[in-house]
């Protein structure tokens, strides 16, 4: 589909990646290039830190699937993968504090080195709940890698070993993050124009 069919021309400062989405984008907070460089850096750190260990990556669905795919290809170690699905948001943009496990892991965590991969840590409630749940399964180690952290407004202090970017307290989409299940495939992290929200 061409941009002409959508009746608008994407801003030259944005990548014309999903033409139908770009009219909704307000600001690109983290560019595709910045994400690529950061995931390379994090991948190298994880490669060094876990050398000689049996690392299991746990992705938190759905948002983490993009970070998981790109980060894991920068980790030059034998890896195993597992996924968990939790719900905390529905389609709203505020944390409810209620976390529900929708899909549990296939792996037994006992004596495994576990790295939880998250798209974003906002209030930290989701992660706090998850870490408590996972720690009870007796892994050898349990750490977190998060692409984004909303700095300053976290309701629960959490020790996140690998953080990509600290961002302001704004709702963002892209790179796996959605608003109403849309925008996940944008290659950058961006805010939406106010008129996009009902
Ligand atoms: P928390 O429990 O407040 O830390 O929220 C964690 C989850 O809420 C993330 O894994 C996301 O799925 C979702 N979330 C938090 N902030 C945003 C955002 O800015 N955009 C999209 N989803 C978000
Ligand atoms: Mg979501």
């Amino acid at each position: 589909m061409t941009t002409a069919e959508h009746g608008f021309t994407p801003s030259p400062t944005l990548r014309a990646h999903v033409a139908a989405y770009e009219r909704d984008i307000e600001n690109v907070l983290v560019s595709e290039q910045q994400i690529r460089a950061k995931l390379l850096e994090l991948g190298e750190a994880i490669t060094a830190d876990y050398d000689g260990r049996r690392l299991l990556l746990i992705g938190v669905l759905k948002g983490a699937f993009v970070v998981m795919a790109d980060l894991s290809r920068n980790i030059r170690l034998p890896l195993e993968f597992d996924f968990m699905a939790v719900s905390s948001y529905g389609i709203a943009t505020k944390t409810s504090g209620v976390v529900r496990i929708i899909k549990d892991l296939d792996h037994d965590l006992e004596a495994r080195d576990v790295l939880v991969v998250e798209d974003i840590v906002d209030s930290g409630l989701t992660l706090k709940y998850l870490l408590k749940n996972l720690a009870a399964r007796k892994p050898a180690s349990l750490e977190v890698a998060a692409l984004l952290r909303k700095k300053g407004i976290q309701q629960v202090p959490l020790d996140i070993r690998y953080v990509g970017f600290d961002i302001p307290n704004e709702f963002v989409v892209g790179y796996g993050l959605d608003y109403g299940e849309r925008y996940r495939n944008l290659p950058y992290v961006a805010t939406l124009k106010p008129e996009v929200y009902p």
Side-chain angles (χ1 to χ4, degrees):
M1 202 173 276
T2 66
T3 53
E5 287 170 63
H6 293 283
F8 79 108
T9 309
S11 153
T13 61
L14 296 181
R15 280 186 47 114
H17 189 77
V18 183
Y21 284 166
E22 292 212 347
R23 68 181 110 191
D24 299 342
I25 303 299
E26 184 169 66
N27 246 319
V28 175
L29 292 190
V30 193
S31 72
E32 187 174 1
Q33 291 79 359
Q34 286 174 307
I35 295 172
R36 193 181 307 122
K38 184 61 77 177
L39 291 183
L40 199 55
E41 191 187 309
L42 293 183
E44 277 167 10
I46 293 166
T47 302
D49 293 348
Y50 288 90
D51 189 21
R53 289 153 75 182
R54 250 181 88 211
L55 183 56
L56 173 66
L57 293 189
I58 295 181
V60 185
L61 294 171
K62 297 173 205 170
F65 81 99
V66 180
V67 182
M68 184 91 155
D70 287 349
L71 176 63
S72 68
R73 282 174 291 181
N74 293 327
I75 303 173
R76 288 167 291 108
L77 297 172
L79 286 178
E80 286 172 56
F81 295 81
D82 210 336
F83 290 94
M84 255 178 128
V86 300
S87 112
S88 59
Y89 265 39
I91 66 153
T93 58
K94 286 213 181 75
T95 300
S96 64
V98 179
V99 179
R100 200 157 52 91
I101 293 184
I102 292 164
K103 183 223 172 286
D104 206 346
L105 300 171
D106 300 325
H107 283 71
D108 183 355
L109 299 190
E110 199 165 338
R112 295 301 308 267
D113 288 300
V114 172
L115 180 61
V116 176
V117 179
E118 265 281 26
D119 46 5
I120 189 165
V121 180
D122 183 359
S123 71
L125 286 168
T126 307
L127 197 54
K128 188 189 173 200
Y129 171 88
L130 263 183
L131 291 176
K132 195 175 158 215
N133 182 291
L134 296 177
R137 307 181 197 196
K138 310 251 181 295
S141 68
L142 180 59
E143 300 289 350
V144 179
L147 178 69
L148 305 168
R149 175 171 61 186
K150 286 191 192 172
K151 191 83 180 167
I153 58 122
Q154 264 146 270
Q155 289 161 16
V156 287
L158 289 168
D159 186 15
I160 303 174
R161 179 129 179 218
Y162 308 97
V163 179
F165 302 93
D166 283 307
I167 60 165
N169 181 21
E170 286 181 87
F171 192 81
V172 290
V173 297
Y175 220 82
L177 291 160
D178 73 305
Y179 173 62
E181 292 301 326
R182 304 175 84 223
Y183 312 104
R184 292 192 197 274
N185 59 324
L186 287 173
Y188 46 76
V189 172
T191 54
L192 295 173
K193 290 178 185 158
E195 59 264 32
V196 175
Y197 303 107

